[in-house]
Amino acid sequence: MLHDISAPASSGPRPPLSAHRRPRLAVVGAVLTTTALLLSGCGGASSDQASAKTGSSPSPSSSAHGMDGMSDMAMGDPSATPADKIPGATVVKGAFKLLDTRPPGLDDVEGTAWLAQGSKGTTVTVSLTGLEPGASYMAHLHAQHCSAENGGEHFQFEKGGATTPPNEIHLMFTADKSGKGMTTVNNSRKTEEGAVAVVVHPTEAMDNRITCADFDF
C-alpha cells in the first residue's frame, strides 16, 4: 500500500517576506545614505565653482613650489622660479609707471615686471614696493602699451574667449607688512609679442589701475 508522505498543509498563512527583510533593508539604506554624504563632502566644488573661487581667493598662491608644479589655472606662486631666472628662456622686462587711475595713498608704488618665454611656455614675474601692507592685488597681461588707455584690454590667447586663465594670464598676490609684493605665474602657451604690458590694480577695485609696465621687446 502506498502512503501519502507529503507535508501537511500549514494551518495558517505565512508572514510576508518583506516583514522579515525590512530591518536589513533599513540598515543598508542608512549605510548607502551615509556613504553618499561622505563622498559629496570629499568631492569638492565643480571645476566652474573652483575657478570662481580661485578668482576671489585672498590666498592665491599655488601649493606647488617651482615651475614643474604650476598649472595654467594658477594665479601666482611667490616661491616659483622667477621669470628672469628661467634657464634658456628669452626674457624681456619693464619698469612700472604710476597711472592716474590709482587709488589715493599709492603714490610711491614702483617695481619691475619680467616676461620669459621658453620650453615651458610663458612665465611672468612682478615685484613691487610701496603697496598697502596686507592688501591684495591683481595683475594682468595686456595687449596694448601703457600709453594706450592704460594698457587697454587684457591679452587673450583666443580673442573673444574666456576672461579667466588659462586663456588670460593673471597674477594675484598680497603685500607684506613692508608693502612689498612679488609673485610668479606660468602658462604653457607662449604669448610671443602679443602681450606687451602688465597692469596692477587692487583686487577689489579692478577699474582703479595703479601702475603699468611695458615690456621691451
Side-chain angles (χ1 to χ4, degrees), residues 66-92:
M67 291 298 301
D68 294 338
M70 296 183 68
S71 72
D72 288 357
M73 291 297 294
M75 295 179 67
D77 182 357
S79 300
T81 304
D84 60 325
K85 304 296 183 183
I86 302 295
T90 300
V91 182
V92 291

Side-chain angles (χ1 to χ4, degrees), residues 13 39 47 89 113:
L39 289 175
S47 58

Side-chain angles (χ1 to χ4, degrees), residues 62-185:
S62 169
S63 60
H65 296 281
M67 291 298 301
D68 294 338
M70 296 183 68
S71 72
D72 288 357
M73 291 297 294
M75 295 179 67
D77 182 357
S79 300
T81 304
D84 60 325
K85 304 296 183 183
I86 302 295
T90 300
V91 182
V92 291
K93 71 175 183 178
F96 280 106
K97 299 178 181 178
L98 292 174
L99 300 176
D100 293 337
T101 53
R102 66 186 182 277
L106 295 175
D107 295 338
D108 296 325
V109 175
E110 58 184 8
T112 306
W114 295 267
L115 186 151
Q117 299 185 72
S119 61
K120 294 184 179 294
T122 300
T123 305
V124 182
T125 298
V126 295
S127 179
L128 300 106
T129 58
L131 300 169
E132 180 183 350
S136 178
Y137 297 91
M138 290 193 72
H140 303 91
L141 290 189
H142 282 249
Q144 299 183 60
H145 290 287
C146 301
S147 59
E149 301 179 358
N150 292 340
E153 300 294 329
H154 292 178
F155 166 81
Q156 294 186 321
F157 288 101
E158 302 294 336
K159 292 184 179 180
T163 58
T164 54
N167 193 45
E168 295 187 1
I169 296 181
H170 299 185
L171 300 93
M172 191 173 178
F173 57 94
T174 300
D176 64 18
K177 61 183 180 180
S178 69
K180 180 179 180 179
M182 178 180 180
T183 196
T184 297
V185 74

